[in-house]
Amino acid sequence: MSIQVVLEDSEFILDISGWTAVTNLRRKIKIPYNSVVDVQTGNFKFPLTAIKRTGITTLDYKAGIFLIDGKKYFLSFHSDNKVIILSLKENEFDKVVIESEDPEQLANNILMRCSSQ
């Protein structure tokens, strides 16, 4: 996987590797827990109206920065039904959608840290 989530005390870090890092010209995205408004798991349907800023789009992989309905998204997933969807405030991105082997567990870990902030 090209994204690894590192949970720290006051923020979590998306460690980006592979082609996702190359095409986005970055290796890390830091997200403070206090910027998380909502955390969901489940399906994410990639809209045909999405505008790619940087990244990769193939039939089975979406990764990069996209504008969707006027909001800035960071996406990284193969399987659109094993994702965690983060809604953010006062952040570079309005939404972050990333794939996880266990999206429910990752969501719970993030939510626990958000509630303690």
Side-chain angles (χ1 to χ4, degrees), residues 19-20 23-24 46-59 61-75 93:
W19 283 110
T20 305
T23 59
N24 285 291
F46 185 78
L48 296 176
T49 57
I51 300 167
K52 179 171 56 172
R53 302 288 298 277
T54 63
I56 303 166
T57 53
T58 66
L59 288 177
Y61 186 56
K62 309 289 187 269
I65 299 169
F66 297 83
L67 290 178
I68 301 172
D69 297 329
K71 296 188 185 283
K72 191 174 180 183
Y73 281 64
F74 178 81
L75 307 176
F93 301 103

Side-chain angles (χ1 to χ4, degrees), residues 14-67:
L14 305 180
D15 268 335
I16 307 167
S17 61
W19 283 110
T20 305
V22 171
T23 59
N24 285 291
L25 304 173
R26 64 194 315 165
R27 297 182 80 42
K28 292 187 186 300
I29 296 173
K30 295 182 179 185
I31 302 173
Y33 294 117
N34 62 8
S35 71
V36 176
V37 175
D38 188 37
V39 179
Q40 299 176 2
T41 60
N43 294 324
F44 178 79
K45 296 301 176 203
F46 185 78
L48 296 176
T49 57
I51 300 167
K52 179 171 56 172
R53 302 288 298 277
T54 63
I56 303 166
T57 53
T58 66
L59 288 177
D60 63 347
Y61 186 56
K62 309 289 187 269
I65 299 169
F66 297 83
L67 290 178

Side-chain angles (χ1 to χ4, degrees), residues 41-110:
T41 60
N43 294 324
F44 178 79
K45 296 301 176 203
F46 185 78
L48 296 176
T49 57
I51 300 167
K52 179 171 56 172
R53 302 288 298 277
T54 63
I56 303 166
T57 53
T58 66
L59 288 177
D60 63 347
Y61 186 56
K62 309 289 187 269
I65 299 169
F66 297 83
L67 290 178
I68 301 172
D69 297 329
K71 296 188 185 283
K72 191 174 180 183
Y73 281 64
F74 178 81
L75 307 176
S76 179
F77 62 87
H78 289 277
S79 177
D80 60 3
N81 63 354
K82 289 190 73 173
V83 297
I84 179 170
I85 304 165
L86 303 161
S87 298
L88 307 174
K89 66 177 181 182
E90 300 171 6
N91 192 277
E92 175 184 0
F93 301 103
D94 297 301
K95 300 252 186 187
V96 171
V97 181
I98 55 172
E99 184 174 354
S100 173
E101 288 295 318
D102 190 348
E104 290 81 16
Q105 183 63 47
L106 179 57
N108 288 337
N109 289 341
I110 291 172

